[in-house]
Amino acid sequence: MSQRTELESLGEFGLIDRLNPKEYRKAKNSSTLFSIGDDAACLEYRDKIVLVSTDALAEGVHFDMVYTPLKHLGYKACVTNFSDIYAMNGEPKQITVSLSVSNRYSVEALEELYSGIYLACDRYGVDLVGGDTTSSAGGMFISITVIGEADKDRVVYRNGAKVHDLICLSGDLGGAYAGLLVLQREKAAFMANPKVQPQLTDYEYVISRQLKPEARKDIIRFFRSKDIIPTSMIDISDGLASEALHICRNSETGCEIYIDRIPIDIKTSNTFEEFKILADTGALNGGEDYELLFTIDQKDYDKIKDEANIHIIGHITDASSGCQLVTPQNTTIELKAQGWNHYRKQTDN
Amino acid sequence: MSQRTELESLGEFGLIDRLNPKEYRKAKNSSTLFSIGDDAACLEYRDKIVLVSTDALAEGVHFDMVYTPLKHLGYKACVTNFSDIYAMNGEPKQITVSLSVSNRYSVEALEELYSGIYLACDRYGVDLVGGDTTSSAGGMFISITVIGEADKDRVVYRNGAKVHDLICLSGDLGGAYAGLLVLQREKAAFMANPKVQPQLTDYEYVISRQLKPEARKDIIRFFRSKDIIPTSMIDISDGLASEALHICRNSETGCEIYIDRIPIDIKTSNTFEEFKILADTGALNGGEDYELLFTIDQKDYDKIKDEANIHIIGHITDASSGCQLVTPQNTTIELKAQGWNHYRKQTDN
């Protein structure tokens, strides 16, 4: 970036105009009646259910500026929010973006961040309808609220899983965590010797899983096309183990998950091997994959069995059986969440 | 606060349970179908318009921990958001709270903050339906998204003012800014000599305007009871001058505002006098009063003329006349916004 415009040179309204240019204010959704430019945005949802979710990302906790391009950060901040709406079997329609940045960031840097936000909004058909940008004492903090819709009889909660339901998963797991390990290693090497070129060529897949995740809009569309309503669903932000336990606790059931059925890409398992991490462990506890974990009634088995993007990894049992991992040797291990504790992570680092 | 529980000792889900106890999760509004505990909250608005607004407060920019009790901060963060919904002639119904805090804050401190959030929600009939709490590299940042409703034929925008409409204002102005001046003075005295007791007894009114503002729910209810629909409306967060200019720019009109009609409480003008600030200037440019500025058709004059809480301060003119302040001597001064630029304020301090 050759130019640097200081934030204070624009003022609040100048900044709003610069970050939300008129050409982006045209609504993509009929539910968006009035967007930026008044005290509140006006939406109309009629017979649809309105879904609302908020997720925040903090510098130094959820992202590291050393290896996170701003455009990717804006994109990821949106996609992680969209994922929460898909996890209810809904479609995201609007977002508001709340941003706090120190004067260390220029207007051009925020434009770069917003270019990622607009790209995500374009790809997922979402309108940016409001927000607030303010200065901070230090670092960057992004909070996005997403508003979406679902048909009333198609909303899927975490609490509807029933005994004998099949446990299914979209995509593959562990990639985002593997990518984070690579980025942290290269950062450490760079800090020790800034002349070292980062070695990233063999890691495109896992790095893109970390820096530029996608939300599973395609799976929600697939459900609609096949007339499937999952009995429960959650997105994988904190790791499969943690999310499976959420479904079982909320549904008052147990589960059996077959370790050798957990889908792991070969590039992910190769990376874990380098870091001397068991691939299963990485896939069970690594976060930020934004895949969908869901349960379906066995009667829907035929509808999904040929879908390459969906893997059946286990089934729901009664609560008294507990939550179990089944090994290839057919022994069981109790499922525990090591999970993702950002508070603890910050203390550790 | 005698006890101090560290944030990292609870983990994310423990913290959610602690800050959102079950007894507070009972919905007050029929539009709240499902609140905290899944990937998204579920709302139902049917034939109502859904209003959405987001406002953020950053430590060191919007509030100073030296003189801001955490309970007040939580209350104010809510009320400033509710005010945006009232300014559309709507009623706030749900909020999500996004919070970023450093480990310097204990769990008990966050509970104190949340006690103010719950108090505001109780008083204004709003449900807390979601949010995200995360650690930050430094300081505290609160972003609240409020969702509200309005009848489709009663939404009031900034752009509907017509020539000859009356310009009206709820309550009185300048108090919040006067309170800020007192708090900053006492902070400076305390920093210079920590043994000095703060002198606040004569300033209860202005300090409460700064630390514990209220939003004008009563005015919106009054409009409904009298079957009044303002032609335009905005809430006063950045000062009367700035907000009046917003209405005129959006409505493509001019205005005449009579300086001696601007309501200023005697306790506010006394405080401004101490600080050698002209009361009119303080009332025109001081922010954060959260009163409502609105325009009505002259035919509604009889409905509001006896209402003690509403002051007619001027009228709308055509755009070519510009925006003017009329002095008691009947001369005119062009209305300009000095406004509230948080970026500049931070640089100045």
Side-chain angles (χ1 to χ4, degrees):
Chain A
M1 281 174 242
S2 54
Q3 213 188 338
R4 182 182 165 94
T5 310
E6 301 300 329
L7 288 173
E8 64 263 36
S9 70
L10 286 184
E12 185 184 350
F13 299 107
L15 188 62
I16 291 172
D17 286 342
R18 184 88 175 251
L19 297 180
N20 305 288
K22 286 238 164 12
E23 62 265 31
Y24 287 114
R25 295 195 195 180
K26 199 169 175 306
K28 300 176 198 78
N29 295 294
S30 61
S31 55
T32 308
L33 299 188
F34 188 93
S35 166
I36 294 166
D38 217 297
D39 295 292
C42 294
L43 315 177
E44 189 169 32
Y45 271 92
R46 297 187 175 277
D47 55 341
K48 298 281 187 180
I49 295 295
V50 183
L51 301 167
V52 179
S53 181
T54 296
D55 256 325
L57 297 177
E59 183 175 348
V61 181
H62 300 87
F63 57 92
D64 186 326
M65 280 302 175
V66 171
Y67 51 71
T68 311
L70 282 164
K71 186 173 179 177
H72 285 63
L73 178 62
Y75 192 87
K76 180 171 177 174
C78 290
V79 162
T80 58
N81 273 280
F82 301 163
S83 182
D84 281 318
I85 300 298
Y86 293 125
M88 304 295 290
N89 203 26
E91 296 248 1
K93 294 292 174 182
Q94 290 92 16
I95 53 167
T96 64
V97 177
S98 202
L99 191 62
S100 177
V101 287
S102 73
N103 287 328
R104 165 160 78 83
Y105 291 95
S106 66
V107 174
E108 288 74 15
L110 296 195
E111 284 183 317
E112 189 66 15
L113 179 82
Y114 265 80
S115 72
I117 290 173
Y118 285 119
L119 180 61
C121 284
D122 274 347
R123 291 218 180 137
Y124 289 85
V126 171
D127 295 316
L128 176 69
V129 298
D132 198 8
T133 298
T134 179
S135 56
S136 79
M140 182 186 280
F141 181 75
I142 310 172
S143 175
I144 291 185
T145 297
V146 59
I147 300 140
E149 68 177 34
D151 293 325
K152 190 165 188 176
D153 54 358
R154 296 185 66 88
V155 177
V156 177
Y157 296 93
R158 296 177 179 178
N159 64 2
K162 299 275 178 290
V163 177
H164 305 310
D165 281 356
L166 302 174
I167 302 174
C168 307
L169 188 69
S170 68
D172 56 78
L173 295 186
Y177 178 45
L180 181 64
L181 293 172
V182 173
L183 290 167
Q184 287 177 335
R185 179 181 66 191
E186 297 306 315
K187 178 186 170 181
F190 175 82
M191 292 304 196
N193 179 2
K195 285 180 189 158
V196 170
Q197 283 293 312
Q199 296 295 324
L200 302 175
T201 41
D202 292 334
Y203 306 102
E204 280 96 350
Y205 179 70
V206 294
I207 289 173
S208 77
R209 293 288 283 173
Q210 169 58 226
L211 293 182
K212 198 167 168 296
E214 299 290 348
R216 298 310 303 247
K217 180 183 188 174
D218 59 328
I219 300 290
I220 301 309
R221 298 276 168 100
F222 169 77
F223 290 154
R224 181 171 289 274
S225 73
K226 297 283 181 180
D227 202 24
I228 296 168
I229 299 177
T231 52
S232 70
M233 185 152 57
I234 193 168
D235 71 325
I236 308 251
S237 55
D238 295 334
L240 171 61
S242 168
E243 313 300 2
L245 289 169
H246 277 306
I247 283 187
C248 290
R249 193 166 53 227
N250 282 273
S251 300
E252 299 178 4
T253 65
C255 68
E256 284 192 345
I257 291 176
Y258 296 88
I259 290 180
D260 57 2
R261 296 270 191 93
I262 298 172
I264 305 171
D265 191 276
I266 181 73
K267 296 181 278 303
T268 302
S269 51
N270 286 346
T271 305
F272 281 137
E273 201 179 320
E274 264 185 61
F275 284 89
K276 300 185 174 32
I277 290 173
L278 288 173
D280 303 333
T281 307
L284 273 163
N285 296 300
E288 302 193 289
D289 283 316
Y290 301 104
E291 297 295 344
L292 292 172
L293 177 70
F294 56 95
T295 56
I296 59 167
D297 191 288
Q298 290 205 5
K299 75 174 165 48
D300 287 330
Y301 170 73
D302 282 341
K303 294 180 181 172
I304 65 151
K305 69 178 178 4
D306 299 324
E307 184 62 24
N309 281 320
I310 295 176
H311 307 274
I312 301 169
I313 60 169
H315 58 268
I316 296 293
T317 59
D318 62 31
S320 64
S321 310
C323 295
Q324 311 291 343
L325 287 170
V326 183
T327 68
Q329 296 74 36
N330 217 22
T331 59
T332 59
I333 309 166
E334 195 190 334
L335 183 64
K336 283 186 185 160
Q338 294 175 22
W340 230 216
N341 183 341
H342 285 301
Y343 286 107
R344 206 162 296 144
K345 277 207 297 183
Q346 197 191 38
T347 322
D348 291 347
N349 291 349
Chain B
M1 283 174 242
S2 53
Q3 213 189 339
R4 183 181 165 92
T5 310
E6 301 301 330
L7 287 174
E8 63 264 35
S9 70
L10 286 185
E12 185 184 350
F13 299 107
L15 188 62
I16 291 173
D17 286 342
R18 183 87 176 251
L19 297 179
N20 304 288
K22 286 237 163 17
E23 62 264 33
Y24 287 114
R25 295 194 194 181
K26 199 169 174 306
K28 302 176 197 76
N29 296 294
S30 61
S31 55
T32 308
L33 299 188
F34 188 94
S35 165
I36 293 166
D38 216 298
D39 295 292
C42 294
L43 315 176
E44 188 168 35
Y45 271 92
R46 297 185 174 277
D47 54 341
K48 300 280 187 181
I49 295 296
V50 183
L51 301 167
V52 179
S53 181
T54 296
D55 256 326
L57 297 177
E59 182 175 349
V61 182
H62 300 88
F63 59 91
D64 186 326
M65 281 301 176
V66 171
Y67 50 72
T68 310
L70 281 165
K71 185 173 180 178
H72 285 64
L73 178 62
Y75 192 87
K76 181 171 176 174
C78 289
V79 163
T80 58
N81 272 281
F82 300 163
S83 182
D84 281 317
I85 300 298
Y86 293 124
M88 304 296 290
N89 203 26
E91 297 247 1
K93 294 291 173 182
Q94 290 92 15
I95 54 168
T96 64
V97 176
S98 201
L99 190 63
S100 177
V101 288
S102 73
N103 286 329
R104 166 161 76 84
Y105 292 95
S106 66
V107 174
E108 287 75 15
L110 295 194
E111 283 183 317
E112 189 67 15
L113 179 83
Y114 266 80
S115 72
I117 290 173
Y118 284 119
L119 180 61
C121 284
D122 273 348
R123 290 219 180 137
Y124 289 85
V126 171
D127 295 317
L128 176 68
V129 298
D132 197 9
T133 298
T134 178
S135 56
S136 79
M140 181 187 280
F141 180 75
I142 310 172
S143 176
I144 291 184
T145 296
V146 59
I147 300 140
E149 69 175 34
D151 292 326
K152 189 165 188 176
D153 54 358
R154 296 186 66 89
V155 177
V156 177
Y157 296 93
R158 297 176 179 179
N159 66 2
K162 299 274 178 292
V163 177
H164 305 310
D165 281 356
L166 302 174
I167 302 174
C168 307
L169 188 69
S170 69
D172 56 79
L173 294 187
Y177 178 45
L180 181 64
L181 293 172
V182 172
L183 290 167
Q184 287 177 334
R185 179 181 66 190
E186 297 305 316
K187 177 187 171 181
F190 175 82
M191 292 304 196
N193 179 1
K195 287 181 187 157
V196 170
Q197 284 293 312
Q199 297 295 323
L200 302 175
T201 41
D202 291 334
Y203 306 101
E204 280 96 351
Y205 179 70
V206 295
I207 289 173
S208 77
R209 293 288 283 173
Q210 168 58 225
L211 291 184
K212 196 166 169 298
E214 299 290 348
R216 298 311 303 247
K217 179 182 188 174
D218 58 328
I219 300 290
I220 301 310
R221 298 276 168 101
F222 169 78
F223 290 153
R224 181 171 288 275
S225 72
K226 296 283 182 183
D227 202 22
I228 296 168
I229 299 176
T231 53
S232 70
M233 186 153 56
I234 192 169
D235 72 324
I236 309 251
S237 54
D238 294 335
L240 171 60
S242 168
E243 312 300 1
L245 289 170
H246 277 306
I247 283 186
C248 290
R249 193 167 53 229
N250 281 274
S251 301
E252 299 179 4
T253 65
C255 68
E256 283 193 344
I257 290 176
Y258 296 88
I259 290 179
D260 57 2
R261 297 270 192 92
I262 298 172
I264 305 172
D265 191 277
I266 180 72
K267 297 182 276 303
T268 302
S269 52
N270 285 347
T271 306
F272 281 138
E273 202 179 320
E274 265 186 60
F275 283 88
K276 300 185 173 33
I277 289 173
L278 288 174
D280 303 333
T281 307
L284 273 163
N285 296 300
E288 301 194 288
D289 284 316
Y290 301 104
E291 296 294 345
L292 292 173
L293 177 70
F294 57 95
T295 55
I296 59 166
D297 191 289
Q298 290 204 4
K299 75 173 165 49
D300 287 331
Y301 170 73
D302 283 341
K303 294 179 182 172
I304 65 150
K305 69 179 180 359
D306 300 323
E307 184 62 23
N309 280 321
I310 295 176
H311 307 273
I312 301 170
I313 60 168
H315 58 267
I316 296 293
T317 60
D318 63 31
S320 64
S321 310
C323 295
Q324 310 291 344
L325 287 170
V326 183
T327 68
Q329 295 75 37
N330 218 22
T331 58
T332 59
I333 308 166
E334 195 190 334
L335 182 65
K336 283 185 184 158
Q338 295 174 21
W340 230 217
N341 184 340
H342 286 298
Y343 286 107
R344 207 162 294 144
K345 278 206 298 183
Q346 196 192 38
T347 322
D348 290 349
N349 289 350

